[in-house]
Amino acid sequence: MKKIALSLAIASPVLVQAETINLEIEKPEFYGKINVTQEFVQPENAGNFSQLNSNASRLGVKGKIALEHGLKAVYQVEYEVFADNGAKKLKGEDDNGDKFEYDSTLSQRNTFIGIEGGFGRVQAGMFDTPFKSVQNKVDLFNDLRGDIKNIISKSENRSKNSVQYTSPSFAGLVATVDHLNSEDEDTNNGLSASLAYTRGDIYVAYAYDNEVNGEKVDAQRVVGQYKVGAVQLGALWETLDTDGNSEEGWMASAAFKATSDVTLKAQYGASDIKKEGGVSYSLGADYKLAKNAKTFVYATSEESDDESVNAQYYGAGLEYKF
C-alpha cells in the first residue's frame, strides 16, 4: 500500500518554535466490480422472457490514515452502478411522508467513517448489519437470482444512520454490535449484534436483530461453514418473530473446486419468512479467467404457495474486479 507523508508545522502563539508532526496517509484505494449476466426466465404461469442484469456492480474508494497513540482513521465510500440500463428505480419519501419513485444512476452502498486501534473498531454511516455480514460466504449465489434475500430471508439489511463497534479477535472470536438510530421520537431504535468464531477452515456465527425490520420484529441467525480439501460446506438457519408469530428458514450449500480454474456449486433452501412454502435451489459453475476475473453459469428454481413466484432462471455472466 503506497503511503503519503505529510509534515505539519505547529507553532505556539507565544514561543517562536515549531514542532513538526509526520502523518502517514495510505494512498486511497479505488476499487470496483462489474458483474453482468444474460438471464432467461421461465415463469410457471406466464410467457418466457430474457433480461440483462447488473448484479451489484459497484465503484468505491477506501483508505486509512495513521493517527497518534496507535490509532488509525478508516473511511469508505461505495456506490452501486447499473451496467445493464444505466439507472435503477428507487423509492423515496418527502418531508410530508409521501412516497415516490425516481431513477438513479448511483445507489449508495457501504459508506462510513471510523477509527480503529487495540480496542477494536468504531464506525458510523450506512453499511451491512452484523446480522447480514455473518452469512460470510455460505450463500454461493450472492447477488444472483439464487441469493437468499429473494426467498429465504427478510433480514439482509444495509442500514443507514448506524454506529457500529467491532471487537478485536479473542482467539478467533469477534463480537459486533450495531446501533441503528431511528431519528424519530415515535420509532424505536434498532439493534443488530453478532458473535463469529473462526479457526482455520471452521467458521460458526450467531446473530440477533431487534426491531431492525420494524417494531416488535426480532430475528436470529446461526451460520456454519467448513472447508476440507477441495470441498466447502455451509449452512444457515434463521427465524423471524413478528409480535409473537414465528417463521423459519434455512439453506445449505456446497462448493467443489474441481480444478484450479473450475468450481462447481449447489445450494438448496426452504423458508416461510418471505413466502409461505418458499423453496429455492440453484446449480452453477465458475470458470476462473484471471485472479480478478471469472465467467460463470447457473440455474435457479423458485417455488412457493404463491404460484406467481414460481419460475426457473438460467444465466451466464462475467465478473471483473479491480
Side-chain angles (χ1 to χ4, degrees), residues 54 63 76 82 87-88 216 262:
S54 177
Q76 177 174 299
F82 309 101
K88 181 180 181 180
K216 298 183 179 180
V262 177

Side-chain angles (χ1 to χ4, degrees), residues 66-187:
L67 306 175
E68 294 185 331
H69 313 297
L71 301 175
K72 283 188 176 182
V74 294
Y75 62 89
Q76 177 174 299
V77 178
E78 183 177 290
Y79 280 86
E80 181 177 0
V81 296
F82 309 101
D84 50 353
N85 59 16
K88 181 180 181 180
K89 193 167 289 296
L90 302 177
K91 295 181 180 181
E93 185 174 321
D94 61 24
D95 294 337
N96 297 321
D98 296 326
K99 297 181 179 180
F100 59 91
E101 291 187 344
Y102 63 98
D103 291 329
S104 175
T105 55
L106 296 173
S107 178
Q108 185 172 319
R109 289 176 53 86
N110 294 325
T111 299
F112 57 84
I113 187 172
I115 189 168
E116 65 181 21
F119 62 89
R121 173 190 280 202
V122 176
Q123 64 186 52
M126 174 179 171
F127 37 79
D128 294 346
T129 62
F131 193 101
K132 178 181 180 181
S133 297
V134 296
Q135 70 157 274
N136 201 23
K137 298 183 182 298
V138 169
D139 184 358
L140 300 178
F141 295 86
N142 185 50
D143 293 333
L144 302 176
R145 189 62 212 184
D147 193 313
I148 62 173
K149 69 183 179 183
N150 292 319
I151 290 290
I152 306 300
S153 176
K154 280 184 178 179
S155 300
E156 293 289 282
N157 295 308
R158 179 176 297 118
S159 296
K160 56 187 179 180
N161 302 318
S162 297
V163 179
Q164 179 175 286
Y165 168 72
T166 302
S167 76
S169 176
F170 298 102
L173 185 66
V174 175
T176 306
V177 180
D178 192 1
H179 173 79
L180 285 65
N181 295 284
S182 70
E183 301 194 342
D184 184 346
E185 63 179 6
D186 297 321
T187 304

Side-chain angles (χ1 to χ4, degrees), residues 230 256-264 286-288:
F256 172 61
K257 195 172 182 62
T259 71
S260 59
D261 294 327
V262 177
T263 300
L264 306 178
D286 295 350
Y287 182 78
K288 182 179 177 181

Side-chain angles (χ1 to χ4, degrees), residues 1-4 25-29 62-64 75:
M1 176 69 71
K2 294 183 178 179
K3 296 182 178 180
I4 301 172
I25 301 177
E26 293 184 359
K27 187 176 181 180
E29 177 187 352
K62 60 183 177 180
K64 295 183 179 182
Y75 62 89

Side-chain angles (χ1 to χ4, degrees), residues 204-256:
V204 292
Y206 168 79
Y208 172 74
D209 272 1
N210 175 247
E211 300 199 336
V212 175
N213 282 325
E215 292 192 15
K216 298 183 179 180
V217 180
D218 297 334
Q220 298 183 74
R221 171 178 284 182
V222 179
V223 180
Q225 183 175 294
Y226 179 59
K227 186 176 181 181
V228 52
V231 178
Q232 175 186 297
L233 303 174
L236 176 150
W237 171 88
E238 70 178 63
T239 180
L240 185 74
D241 187 278
T242 306
D243 198 15
N245 297 316
S246 184
E247 298 167 321
E248 296 183 359
W250 67 273
M251 59 81 68
S253 64
F256 172 61

